[in-house]
Amino acid sequence: MNRNDRDIKLLNEDPDRLLIQYQPVIRIIVRSLAYQGYLPKREMADLVQDVNRKLLERFPRIRSQYNGKCLFRTYFSVVVRNLCLEEFRRMRIVAEPKTEVYEQASGESAADNLIIIQEFQRLQRALNLFTGERPALWTAIRFMADLPVSAEHLSGFEMDPGLEIREKLATELNSGANLQKREKMEVLSRVFNRLEKKNRAPDAIRKWYSSRLEELLGLMNGNPPHSAYSAETLHLLIEKSELEGNLT
Amino acid sequence: MKEENKYQTQRDPSTHLSENEFAIYADFLRGDLKDVRGDLKTHVGNCTYCRHELMAITDLLDQVDWVEDSGAMPVKGIRRLAGIKKLMPVLRIAAALALLLIVSGVIQQFIIRPGRINIPDTVRFAGDFVPNPSLEAMVSAKYRSAKDPLVQGPSGETVFTPGDTLNLTWSPDTTDLYLVVITDNQANEIQSFRPGRDSVLVWKVNLKPGLYYWRFDGRDDLWRVGKFRVIGRK
């Protein structure tokens, strides 16, 4: 019996014990949100108690609503997070900037590499949230960062013109590496129009890219912000990740 | 886990994801599920709110994984309890124990052990580029004085790559004694120069990526503070 099966068994048979087993997870979530500035740290213990009380009341509902299509731990974590946020709203707590953001990461290269791997995984996850637009956004980011674009990067668009055409389009993008931003948008417009069977003007591509990039940076930085990514540092992350061989 | 039913009723696209759907999508993003329903993907692709929620949830789950994997929290060995009335005092004890362990875990973070790799805090990757509030307040400030050497240097928008040259110029006052200091965004001194009677400083930038500040001191006055960024590309 794996952990998920055990959790579900406890949910049905012994929710009190399940709650005790999940104390570390509850605490991590409360602590994490508290550290994001939502809550004065001294009130953490009280909030944990409130969350426990509400969870005890809510177990029948959790049992009926959990549909078993995801890990119970994931579902439970989402519920706990929502309970915390509900409490914050009730207490009218406003997010404050996180002071830890000014702390310096250690200079150890091993730690730096781990951070790059983790952050690159976060970036990939954030990109995946753009679902259908992911290939275009990833291609555009690489192109704007003067990073090589391959035929593989150009797969997954609405239309697949075939490997040969994709290779040609990738070459066109790679030869435009040192162009000005305006000219780059013209190249992107040509390539995307070919791959999406649309007729988007360079200015439309520019607006689309600008809004998506802004949102991507927002996802990476969090709300309230816990990082200070800009387009430049994002490019740097991709570049460093590729140098370290972490690229998927 | 149950398999996703491809033929089940489509969700209302105008509403945000439910707790179940957020959990399913979070498992998908974290690689615990191979795929999710197309209507969920469509909604997430079109909904900024759900994208932000999912990113926050997956970041949170990463932290849960990390703390659990590091063994900082005890999960086993807690007595089974029958009812809510009995549960609450034990929960309080468990909470106190867990809090104690968290505190000890935090203290351990400050103990330096040879060969131990510090687990990174993912939120700090861009920390080298975070502006320093104290120094920011001084950047480009003007000082009204007859002895002002009118220092010219990189503006806040200047971006260097390793190997580029930083140039500072000024009109020297022979009675003053200048000191140029380069600091990182934590105000740690990286390099300092005594330019003597020169009126120009040329320095080859060889710094790791980050935000840096330069400070031009006189004998009694701080004349100018500026900043620049270094990125890794050449």
Side-chain angles (χ1 to χ4, degrees):
Chain A
M1 192 185 281
N2 62 27
R3 177 178 176 172
N4 199 51
D5 295 336
R6 280 197 301 273
D7 286 349
I8 294 168
K9 190 166 184 279
L10 284 178
L11 174 68
N12 292 319
E13 296 173 3
D14 195 351
D16 295 348
R17 188 169 168 202
L18 182 72
L19 186 59
I20 293 174
Q21 289 207 350
Y22 266 88
Q23 284 307 295
V25 172
I26 295 167
R27 194 157 290 281
I28 293 161
I29 293 172
V30 171
R31 188 172 57 131
S32 167
L33 295 173
Y35 280 9
Q36 283 176 21
Y38 280 115
L39 187 73
K41 286 167 195 168
R42 64 181 178 279
E43 291 178 17
M44 266 171 52
D46 291 342
L47 181 61
V48 170
Q49 288 303 322
D50 287 343
V51 169
N52 279 323
R53 184 176 45 76
K54 288 197 169 184
L55 282 169
L56 283 168
E57 291 166 2
R58 207 184 262 206
F59 263 127
R61 196 174 130 194
I62 291 174
R63 209 165 17 229
S64 66
Q65 290 193 341
Y66 172 60
N67 62 15
K69 288 175 182 165
C70 55
L71 292 172
F72 176 76
R73 196 176 72 132
T74 308
Y75 174 74
F76 190 77
S77 300
V78 172
V79 171
V80 171
R81 175 177 178 268
N82 285 345
L83 282 176
C84 291
L85 296 179
E86 272 173 28
E87 278 299 298
F88 297 149
R89 276 192 286 273
R90 191 182 63 77
M91 294 152 71
R92 296 175 187 277
I93 288 174
V94 179
E96 298 161 2
K98 187 182 176 188
T99 52
E100 284 87 345
V101 80
Y102 293 109
E103 290 177 21
Q104 182 82 346
S106 76
E108 289 177 42
S109 61
D112 284 349
N113 288 342
L114 277 175
I115 293 171
I116 289 165
I117 292 167
Q118 286 186 344
E119 287 297 286
F120 188 74
Q121 285 169 351
R122 282 187 74 232
L123 172 63
Q124 291 301 321
R125 194 186 288 161
L127 283 165
N128 285 340
L129 288 168
F130 289 88
T131 62
E133 291 184 359
R134 187 201 190 281
L137 184 55
W138 184 223
T139 302
I141 289 170
R142 296 185 65 84
F143 180 54
M144 298 309 286
D146 293 340
L147 292 166
V149 177
S150 70
E152 198 182 333
H153 291 128
L154 301 180
S155 61
F157 278 78
E158 207 173 314
M159 306 295 296
D160 185 3
L163 181 62
E164 198 178 329
I165 301 282
R166 278 194 276 122
E167 278 174 351
K168 276 185 186 168
L169 293 173
T171 308
E172 185 176 351
L173 287 173
N174 290 330
S175 60
N178 295 315
L179 296 174
Q180 296 294 312
K181 192 176 176 185
R182 189 177 54 79
E183 295 164 326
K184 281 191 164 187
M185 289 302 163
E186 287 170 5
V187 176
L188 266 185
S189 166
R190 277 201 302 274
V191 171
F192 284 179
N193 285 344
R194 183 69 199 269
L195 291 162
E196 295 174 335
K197 292 275 183 198
K198 285 178 185 168
N199 192 16
R200 287 203 283 175
D203 201 40
I205 296 284
R206 181 184 61 75
K207 283 179 185 166
W208 166 82
Y209 176 68
S210 167
S211 73
R212 293 300 181 271
L213 182 65
E214 190 182 341
E215 188 183 337
L216 183 68
L217 293 172
L219 290 171
M220 293 295 287
N221 288 330
N223 182 25
H226 49 61
S227 289
Y229 277 103
S230 63
E232 239 159 40
T233 47
L234 200 67
H235 294 168
L236 192 65
L237 171 68
I238 300 166
E239 191 178 83
K240 281 179 95 70
S241 181
E242 289 196 358
L243 284 174
E244 299 295 327
N246 301 318
L247 190 63
T248 53
Chain B
M1 279 182 283
K2 294 175 195 168
E3 287 296 314
E4 280 282 274
N5 181 359
K6 290 177 184 172
Y7 303 103
Q8 77 181 70
T9 314
Q10 296 287 289
R11 62 186 306 284
D12 178 359
S14 65
T15 59
H16 294 305
L17 301 190
S18 66
E19 286 178 338
N20 262 308
E21 289 168 335
F22 272 126
I24 289 169
Y25 216 103
D27 275 351
F28 168 60
L29 289 170
R30 284 160 47 83
D32 291 323
L33 277 181
K34 282 182 185 166
D35 206 358
V36 290
R37 295 197 317 263
D39 59 320
L40 288 188
K41 280 187 185 171
T42 306
H43 177 81
V44 171
N46 294 322
C47 180
T48 306
Y49 171 81
C50 286
R51 281 200 288 266
H52 280 265
E53 283 294 286
L54 280 166
M55 195 69 188
I57 288 166
T58 50
D59 280 348
L60 196 59
L61 290 166
D62 284 352
Q63 290 184 40
V64 171
D65 278 353
W66 177 71
V67 178
E68 284 201 323
D69 291 348
S70 70
M73 301 280 189
V75 180
K76 297 173 184 172
I78 301 174
R79 281 185 299 133
R80 177 180 173 166
L81 294 169
I84 297 170
K85 284 183 182 174
K86 282 186 179 175
L87 182 62
M88 292 313 286
V90 175
L91 282 180
R92 286 178 194 278
I93 294 166
L97 279 172
L99 191 63
L100 191 66
L101 282 159
I102 291 168
V103 171
S104 65
V106 169
I107 291 168
Q108 281 182 356
Q109 294 299 310
F110 293 97
I111 299 171
I112 300 165
R113 293 176 188 146
R116 176 175 177 254
I117 298 171
N118 288 329
I119 302 299
D121 183 342
T122 56
V123 302
R124 293 182 190 165
F125 171 72
D128 291 344
F129 287 88
V130 175
N132 182 308
S134 309
L135 291 167
E136 284 293 317
M138 292 190 278
V139 169
S140 302
K142 303 274 184 195
Y143 303 93
R144 294 175 187 277
S145 165
K147 288 185 174 181
D148 186 350
L150 304 171
V151 186
Q152 298 288 322
S155 72
E157 300 304 315
T158 305
V159 176
F160 290 125
T161 51
D164 285 348
T165 308
L166 178 147
N167 289 298
L168 289 180
T169 58
W170 62 93
S171 305
D173 179 335
T174 50
T175 61
D176 206 347
L177 184 63
Y178 299 126
L179 174 69
V180 180
V181 181
I182 311 288
T183 71
D184 62 16
N185 66 337
Q186 303 294 303
N188 299 315
E189 184 176 319
I190 304 291
Q191 186 94 35
S192 63
F193 310 92
R194 283 272 178 206
R197 291 175 184 275
D198 294 339
S199 61
V200 62
L201 172 74
V202 178
W203 183 55
K204 198 169 181 181
V205 176
N206 192 15
L207 299 169
K208 66 173 187 169
L211 174 64
Y212 295 88
Y213 295 85
W214 56 267
R215 205 178 72 215
F216 195 92
D217 288 335
R219 183 180 279 120
D220 303 315
D221 300 289
L222 167 62
W223 289 116
R224 193 81 193 265
V225 176
K227 66 177 179 177
F228 58 93
R229 280 175 293 165
V230 176
I231 61 170
R233 280 177 291 132
K234 181 65 183 171

